[in-house]
Amino acid sequence: MTLEWMLSGKDDAKNAIVSINAGAGGTEAQDWAEMLFRMYLRWAERKNYKTTVVDLQPGEEAGIKSVTFIASGPYAFGYLRGETGIHRLVRMSPFDASNRRHTSFASVSTSPELNEEVVINIEEKDLRIDTFRSSGAGGQHVNKTSSAIRITHLPTGIIAQSQQESSQYRNKAIAMKVLKSRLYEYEESKRADEKQAIYEGKDEIAWGSQIRSYTLQPYQMVKDHRINLGIGNVNDVLDGNLDPFIEGVLLSKT
């Protein structure tokens, strides 16, 4: 199957906006979300894609609560659209003094970065715009002004936020771009029950809904449950070698 056939969707050639959210479980889940974030950054490096972090919410002790970034490069959305879903990690927790096995979950969602040709009509009355201080490690360079922006689309509950820029104006522009892309993808995928459930929050980030499992102990295996593909070299996958899964899912849908 050629690349043209695999990536023939009308938005596949666009850049991708990717969001990762930790599931329930505190530090353990937040550490897993950060591991996934690193995995996608390493995958993007392998593709020579540029990545730009739009928003990052660090965990209290370790890891991240959530992150949104843009992967810029040819067919970025086409490759990453199949990554939307719940990702499960099974391992001996480094945060458990008794070294017990833990299961953690994180969700990944993707949407295409829209160009100026795509018009998304959003009414001001449907938006709630909140400002807050950017989170960070602190120190002399921490942003002491409320320049971070969170925009909530009230009819759908979809939220977009940006805090990476020092300018409130720039953060609002970026957050609006992310919101429009998410609304566009939401409308495009409304008829796909699984994806619709993720965007509307109907799917709990927990058991039974995962698209892929990453098992580190008692054995090592990454398995994509949609295409029944398992790979034993977990470290290689977590270091960004996702193409067997990404291409396998694309081939299964063409």
Side-chain angles (χ1 to χ4, degrees):
M1 187 73 69
T2 65
L3 179 68
E4 288 76 15
W5 279 101
M6 290 167 58
L7 301 170
S8 58
K10 67 176 182 177
D11 297 309
D12 283 352
K14 293 183 172 67
N15 298 334
I17 297 176
V18 183
S19 293
I20 302 170
N21 290 277
T27 301
E28 182 71 30
Q30 290 164 18
D31 187 56
W32 171 224
E34 186 171 48
M35 290 170 64
L36 281 175
F37 179 38
R38 179 189 178 277
M39 180 183 76
Y40 286 116
L41 292 183
R42 293 287 292 120
W43 175 83
E45 286 178 14
R46 290 173 181 235
K47 291 290 187 185
N48 293 316
Y49 288 170
K50 176 186 175 183
T51 53
T52 305
V53 177
V54 171
D55 181 69
L56 191 150
Q57 300 290 326
E60 283 87 1
E61 297 179 27
I64 57 175
K65 296 177 182 177
S66 63
V67 64
T68 297
F69 67 95
I70 301 173
S72 303
Y75 294 96
F77 177 68
Y79 281 116
L80 290 170
R81 59 181 160 89
E83 292 300 290
T84 291
I86 309 303
H87 297 245
R88 179 180 71 160
L89 173 70
V90 180
R91 65 171 174 176
M92 301 298 183
S93 172
F95 305 101
D96 186 334
S98 301
N99 200 32
R100 291 171 295 186
R101 190 169 63 180
H102 283 245
T103 300
S104 305
F105 299 89
S107 67
V108 176
S109 61
T110 62
S111 56
E113 184 182 31
L114 302 183
N115 53 38
E116 298 300 321
E117 297 173 1
V118 180
V119 177
I120 305 294
N121 293 315
I122 302 176
E123 296 190 40
E124 286 290 329
K125 66 180 179 62
D126 290 336
L127 299 179
R128 186 178 72 237
I129 301 176
D130 301 303
T131 60
F132 60 99
R133 288 191 179 184
S134 299
S135 55
Q140 62 177 333
H141 300 296
V142 71
N143 190 351
K144 296 180 173 64
T145 62
S146 298
S147 62
I149 295 289
R150 179 185 298 111
I151 303 176
T152 305
H153 185 250
L154 299 174
T156 61
I158 292 175
I159 298 171
Q161 63 185 42
S162 174
Q163 61 168 319
Q164 296 306 108
E165 301 289 334
S166 59
S167 160
Q168 188 179 107
Y169 175 81
R170 276 287 298 150
N171 279 326
K172 183 178 180 181
I174 293 170
M176 279 300 297
K177 175 195 284 190
V178 173
L179 179 66
K180 287 179 179 180
S181 292
R182 287 179 177 169
L183 286 171
Y184 173 82
E185 178 66 4
Y186 173 79
E187 292 298 328
E188 287 289 305
S189 59
K190 253 207 258 191
R191 291 179 294 277
D193 292 340
E194 178 183 346
K195 202 164 190 181
Q196 183 181 11
I198 291 169
Y199 273 96
E200 294 181 349
K202 293 178 181 175
D203 260 2
E204 183 183 358
I205 306 178
W207 288 101
S209 55
Q210 65 270 4
I211 62 168
R212 192 177 300 144
S213 296
Y214 307 70
T215 304
L216 304 186
Q217 285 97 17
Y219 58 91
Q220 293 207 336
M221 177 69 69
V222 180
K223 183 171 183 179
D224 196 297
H225 303 287
R226 298 165 297 179
I227 55 175
N228 200 30
L229 173 63
I231 293 178
N233 192 342
V234 175
N235 289 333
D236 190 42
V237 174
L238 291 176
D239 200 41
N241 187 13
L242 291 170
D243 282 348
F245 298 111
I246 288 174
E247 293 177 6
V249 170
L250 285 170
L251 285 168
S252 73
K253 294 180 178 181
T254 54

